[in-house]
Amino acid sequence: MTSLALGLWGIDRQDSMWRDESVTYQVAHRPLGELWGLLGHIDAVHGLYYLLMHAVFALWDNGLLALRLPSVLATAAAAAGVGALGARLSGRLAGTLAGLVFALLPVTQQYAQEGRSYALVTAGVTWATYVFLRGIRTPGAARWWAAYGVILAVACWLHEFAALSLVAHGLTLWRLRVPWRVWRGWGTAAAGVTLALLPLMAVSAGQADRQLGWLGRPGLNAWLQFLAVCVVTVSLGRLLLRRPGGSELTALALPLPLAPTGLLMLVSLARPWYVDRYVLYGMTGLALLSGAALAHAVRRSRRLARPARVLTACLAAGAAVAVLLPWSLQVRTPESRKDDVVAVARAVEKSARDGDAVLFMPARRREWLLSRPALLDRLDDLALAESPTASHTLQGTELPAGTIRRRMLAADRVIALTDPVGQPLDPFPQEEIKRRILKSDFQLCARLPVHGAQILVYARPGHCTDF
């Protein structure tokens, strides 16, 4: 219930939507034939999620609420799964506290309110881990391993990096020194998951450069964050290892936040594939350890006199609120994401007139207006060759540089949508010609900064006041 309440609190995020959510929104609204064509070209890794959201919008097209509600429900399901795991491993109190910790984590709250697949993947991996635990503990556990394979295969089809949880589960079995029958059951299920994932892997491998080409190698901040998670996780594991049931708890919980993330970051030194949200499900392990540690602290506090217990509880609750409330408020603001396509569209609406020319610099920023097709239709997109639906792409295809140049020189007024000052400039010929012609043949009349973007209004030299 706590996770559900947190998910619904401020779910519209002050009527904002960032560009990844805009992709979900506009792609899920495409007819099934066009959606299928897109997945053959790009974003196959999100195909099952887009199909799910297509069904959601077909049944109930209620804007931002419909876009984000599946993630809210999935996060509540994941929190319930964490609670069930914690109860199995460390008792009911530990399970309750683990589910609460998971729900309160700022990163959990962030993706609970995001129209992307990561909360659903987390729910799938969490419940697969619960079934995995049942399979370890149950003799003749064929039905549990079958359920494990099905749940994890669905999670992997929602995002294929969920398959890295198999590495964490394999490490758990190794640390627990389980008998051969358990290895056989798990290995059969893992093989089934891999086979089920092969078609998606084959398609997405051909799309990898287009899909992940924007990523760079993990920077210093990413490594420091991972190091911090490692320190906290290992410290909690050492604290709990000697407690009753501690060896099984740490064997299950420790690999989840460390193995998938660490492996993906190492791979990304050669092939940049790492983004923290791709392995969001690792927070399950951290919550399990935290819940067990808090339960241990609560049990020890019972030795204190009643006034001391009350004071300790109040201080702990006050500290938690002081730390978590600012984060909780921040992730519900437009500024918590890279940009806000709703704010961009409103700024363009105020600045542009019917028939104005528009340029997107770079071309992928066309996404800022794709969820507002009525507004985009009012403008003359100078660089567009084929629309996203016609080209089976996310943002459409663009004309050759020479054609863009001719079309720009025939325009009197241009609305340019660009990244904020200081962002890297794309080196492609189309982007270079846009920048060069605007600088040589147009005058900048107005600059409208918006969160994560800027709208630049250009006119012919000496004619800014004519519009």
Side-chain angles (χ1 to χ4, degrees):
M1 290 300 294
T2 300
S3 178
L4 189 60
L6 288 170
L8 294 174
W9 168 34
I11 191 171
D12 69 338
R13 212 162 59 239
Q14 301 176 27
D15 194 28
S16 66
M17 177 169 63
W18 80 292
R19 58 180 176 253
D20 276 17
E21 290 183 300
S22 176
V23 170
T24 298
Y25 188 84
Q26 58 101 354
V27 167
H29 277 87
R30 296 188 190 185
L32 281 175
E34 294 176 1
L35 177 51
W36 188 255
L38 169 75
L39 299 180
H41 181 79
I42 196 171
D43 252 10
V45 67
H46 298 299
L48 181 59
Y49 176 68
Y50 290 151
L51 291 170
L52 169 66
M53 293 308 299
H54 180 88
V56 168
F57 287 126
L59 292 171
W60 183 54
D61 196 349
N62 193 22
L64 292 176
L65 182 58
L67 175 68
R68 294 175 183 150
L69 189 58
S71 293
V72 172
L73 298 176
T75 302
V82 171
L85 271 167
R88 286 266 170 189
L89 289 164
S90 307
R92 183 174 297 178
L93 177 61
T96 301
L97 291 172
L100 183 62
V101 168
F102 178 82
L104 290 173
L105 287 172
V107 68
T108 301
Q109 294 187 56
Q110 176 175 343
Y111 289 104
Q113 294 188 337
E114 191 143 300
R116 296 297 278 173
S117 64
Y118 309 112
L120 282 76
V121 174
T122 299
V125 172
T126 301
W127 279 104
T129 303
Y130 174 82
V131 176
F132 168 78
L133 178 63
R134 297 299 300 270
I136 293 173
R137 289 181 168 184
T138 307
R143 69 183 188 278
W144 290 111
W145 292 122
Y148 169 80
V150 170
I151 295 170
L152 193 53
V154 172
C156 290
W157 269 83
L158 285 166
H159 197 286
E160 59 188 318
F161 286 163
L164 293 173
S165 62
L166 286 169
V167 178
H169 293 159
L171 288 172
T172 296
L173 297 183
W174 175 71
R175 292 193 64 194
L176 290 177
R177 303 183 188 279
V178 297
W180 169 246
R181 63 172 177 79
V182 175
W183 277 107
R184 185 177 60 224
W186 175 78
T188 302
V193 171
T194 304
L195 287 173
L197 191 57
L198 282 178
L200 178 60
M201 292 172 63
V203 175
S204 62
Q207 300 176 358
D209 290 340
R210 295 189 298 274
Q211 186 79 43
L212 301 173
W214 59 276
L215 286 174
R217 291 175 177 81
L220 178 61
N221 284 342
W223 285 106
L224 290 176
Q225 288 171 9
F226 179 56
L227 177 62
V229 170
C230 290
V231 170
V232 172
T233 303
V234 172
S235 298
L236 289 172
R238 289 175 62 86
L239 173 68
L240 296 166
L241 187 58
R242 297 180 182 178
R243 308 295 171 195
S247 59
E248 187 178 40
L249 169 66
T250 55
L252 182 78
L254 272 173
L256 280 168
L258 303 185
T261 302
L263 182 59
L264 190 57
M265 291 183 74
L266 287 173
V267 169
S268 294
L269 294 177
R271 294 293 300 270
W273 288 350
Y274 172 75
V275 180
D276 56 358
R277 57 183 176 268
Y278 293 169
V279 284
L280 177 66
Y281 53 82
M283 292 298 99
T284 296
L286 182 59
L288 286 170
L289 293 169
S290 300
L294 287 172
H296 174 65
V298 168
R299 293 187 190 103
R300 292 199 63 176
S301 71
R302 288 170 182 166
R303 303 174 187 174
L304 301 174
R306 182 179 177 82
R309 288 204 308 271
V310 172
L311 178 61
T312 301
C314 290
L315 290 174
V321 170
V323 171
L324 293 172
L325 184 58
W327 284 99
S328 297
L329 294 171
Q330 197 272 336
V331 298
R332 289 168 174 80
T333 64
E335 290 73 27
S336 63
R337 272 64 173 183
K338 290 183 178 179
D339 56 15
D340 179 3
V341 302
V342 177
V344 170
R346 286 174 178 162
V348 172
E349 212 160 18
K350 291 179 180 177
S351 306
R353 299 178 182 180
D354 291 353
D356 275 350
V358 64
L359 287 173
F360 299 92
M361 303 167 57
R364 58 185 176 274
R365 296 299 174 253
R366 188 172 281 106
E367 186 58 54
W368 285 335
L369 296 188
L370 287 178
S371 293
R372 296 290 184 92
L375 174 58
L376 190 55
D377 288 345
R378 290 172 44 198
L379 304 172
D380 181 15
D381 193 339
L382 295 179
L384 184 65
E386 281 191 300
S387 69
T389 52
S391 60
H392 301 306
T393 61
L394 291 175
Q395 287 93 30
T397 58
E398 297 219 325
L399 296 163
T403 307
I404 294 173
R405 177 181 178 277
R406 288 194 297 272
R407 297 197 67 191
M408 289 180 67
L409 292 175
D412 293 319
R413 189 172 189 262
V414 177
I415 309 295
L417 280 68
T418 76
D419 288 329
V421 176
Q423 293 297 307
L425 301 176
D426 282 18
F428 309 122
Q430 290 96 328
E431 302 303 330
E432 290 178 346
I433 200 68
K434 293 174 193 175
R435 295 192 294 266
R436 188 163 76 240
I437 297 300
L438 286 176
K439 183 176 181 180
S440 63
D441 289 79
F442 288 85
Q443 178 182 351
L444 179 61
C445 303
R447 183 190 301 271
L448 304 173
V450 183
H451 172 58
Q454 56 179 341
I455 291 88
L456 307 177
V457 181
Y458 287 91
R460 291 293 183 178
H463 291 275
C464 281
T465 57
D466 294 348
F467 300 97

